[in-house]
Every structure is written in C-alpha cells, then in structure tokens.
Amino acid sequence: MLNNKNIAALIATASLCVSGSALAAPIQQVLLSEDFQGVSGVTTASAVRTIANILANNPTELSGSPLATFSNTGNGNASQAAFNVRAGNNAIDGGTTPSTNTFDGYFGAAANRFLVIGDEGGNLGGAPNGGTNAAASSTMSLRFTLDAVTLALPKLLTISFDYVFDANNTANNDTFVAELVLADNSIINLLSFAAPSVTTRGTFDVSLAYPTFDAGYINFYLVEGSGNGSSAVGLDNIRVTAVPEPGALALLGIGLFGLGVLRRRG
C-alpha cells in the first residue's frame, strides 16, 4: 500500500525526472535580448551609429555579437554604413502621417532606438543601396549569435521581434528574410517577403519545438535590386528564449503541489 512517504517519494522522483536536477533548472533561459536602448550617442533626430562603430568603440552596448556582411554586383553600393542604429524621431521613421519615404512612425517616440538595414542616413531615399545599372544589386546580412542552451527541462524556443520592410517605390521587388540558423548550419525560415508593402510590418512571434538541436544564430538579410527605388528594414525588440514545454511545467507543478499538500498534512 502506498502511504504518504511512498507518495511523496514518487512525486519527488517525477519532479526530478522533469527538471533534470533537484529543481535547479531555471524556468526559462534568455538566449538573446536586444532592444538597442543601450546604444549611446543616438540622442538627436539626425544621429546615426553604425553597427561597426558601436562594436569598435562600445561593444558591450550590443548583445549577440552582431556580424554585418554585404556583397554587391554591378554598381551596388552596400557597405558597413548600411547597418545602423537610429532614434525614433529619425527621418526614416517619419511621423504618424503615412509617407512613401518613411516607416510611417512605426518605431514611435524619439527616446526609442531601433536598427536599420539597407539605408545609410536620412529617409528611405536618403542614402540607399542597391545601385542603378542593370546588373546592380546589394545583399546585406546581419546575424546575432545565440547563447548555448543550458535549460534542463524539455523546451520550446520562442522568437520575437518588431519589424518593418518598406520602400519608396510601390513597384519594388526587393527581398527581406529572417531565419534561424542551427549549430549544424541547417536553416529554419522564420519570415520571408518577396516585396515590401504596407502590410510587411508588425511583431513576429513564434514558438518552435526545441528538444535536441542547438541554435547558432538568428539572421536578417535584405536584397536590394537595380532600379527599384530604395527599400530598408527596421528591427527592434529582438528576443530569443528557451522555455519549458507546457506539459513539463504542468507535471513539475503537480509534483510541487503534492509535496506541499503532504507537508501541510504532516
């Protein structure tokens, strides 16, 4: 017959099986969190700090050791200047009135900071990349490295970020892609747009089963072609977290609840 001691032992065993150690595992583990608010020197509407400048002078102001790369064909002119942090009142964000040259105020107040890929300064037509001749194009990629997962419980990977993919030409057919690259270099596509529009903006939020593989980094890239006007990507509030699966948490909670009931009875 099972007495209170036997029941308590079974519950404790179940709890240990779920947690991997005696309740030592964290409830969640943040692998990347970047809202760009820690970037200094972006205090005016015209201020622009490139990722390269931040890493060279204030590397601790950015998480995930961001790596910016680019390639050009024809007279495409992407450079390290195409990856930069700006304030919410910068010309590229604009105001609340929709405009073909801005993100329509998506990133909000002047105190906010956000990331731009694909434009070096000013509004969407200010300093574009991509070139003008028939063979021109520019590919710009920015990746953030994720911390190694140490969470003991079975887990999910939650990924979220705010984004805008916009252009000053409605006929634009540039491309924006967000992807999760695993440690074995396999790729999980998160978000992909073949052209910018008034709807290519919002908050991306997804949970992925994460039982065995290790994530390497999250990558954002923009391809600007020839003669398409100027497109750019805005990003903010990038967050990647490993969390327990709901079933595992529920089982652990039942174990803790049972132990508490038995303790009160004792």
Side-chain angles (χ1 to χ4, degrees):
M1 177 180 292
L2 290 176
N3 56 30
N4 283 354
K5 289 185 178 179
N6 291 333
I7 293 172
L10 289 173
I11 293 172
T13 300
S15 297
L16 288 174
C17 289
V18 174
S19 67
S21 62
L23 308 181
I27 293 178
Q28 66 176 25
Q29 181 193 354
V30 177
L31 309 182
L32 173 69
S33 181
E34 184 55 75
D35 63 5
F36 307 101
Q37 292 304 106
V39 175
S40 61
V42 188
T43 56
T44 65
S46 60
V48 174
R49 281 198 73 187
T50 66
I51 296 297
N53 177 272
I54 299 166
L55 292 176
N57 295 284
N58 309 99
T60 60
E61 293 182 357
L62 291 171
S63 302
S65 303
L67 176 64
T69 58
F70 61 91
S71 61
N72 296 302
T73 61
N75 68 348
N77 62 345
S79 69
Q80 288 292 335
F83 310 88
N84 51 81
V85 175
R86 311 188 193 187
N89 59 347
N90 184 268
I92 202 168
D93 197 45
T96 56
T97 301
S99 168
T100 57
N101 288 318
T102 74
F103 292 156
D104 304 326
Y106 185 82
F107 293 104
N112 191 37
R113 306 284 182 269
F114 65 97
L115 172 71
V116 173
I117 301 174
D119 196 279
E120 299 176 12
N123 60 23
L124 278 170
N129 307 114
T132 56
N133 64 27
S137 70
S138 294
T139 300
M140 293 150 279
S141 173
L142 184 64
R143 78 182 195 189
F144 294 83
T145 301
L146 306 180
D147 290 344
V149 177
T150 58
L151 193 68
L153 288 167
K155 48 198 170 288
L156 299 174
L157 198 68
T158 65
I159 303 171
S160 63
F161 52 87
D162 298 325
Y163 69 93
V164 171
F165 176 35
D166 208 347
N168 63 357
N169 181 352
T170 57
N172 187 291
N173 60 355
D174 294 339
T175 302
F176 168 53
V177 173
E179 59 192 13
L180 175 68
V181 182
L182 307 182
D184 63 0
N185 289 321
S186 57
I187 295 173
I188 298 175
N189 186 276
L190 301 175
L191 196 65
S192 180
F193 295 114
S197 73
V198 295
T199 62
T200 51
R201 64 192 63 204
T203 297
F204 178 84
D205 193 350
V206 69
S207 293
L208 304 172
Y210 194 72
T212 58
F213 55 73
D214 283 328
Y217 51 88
I218 186 169
N219 186 48
F220 303 95
Y221 72 84
L222 169 67
V223 180
E224 286 199 73
S226 171
N228 295 329
S230 176
S231 66
V233 171
L235 294 166
D236 201 2
N237 300 316
I238 305 168
R239 188 175 178 88
V240 182
T241 307
V243 299
E245 290 178 331
L249 270 183
L251 182 55
L252 181 58
I254 290 171
L256 295 174
F257 175 77
L259 288 173
V261 169
L262 290 174
R263 187 175 294 112
R264 288 195 297 272
R265 287 181 177 176

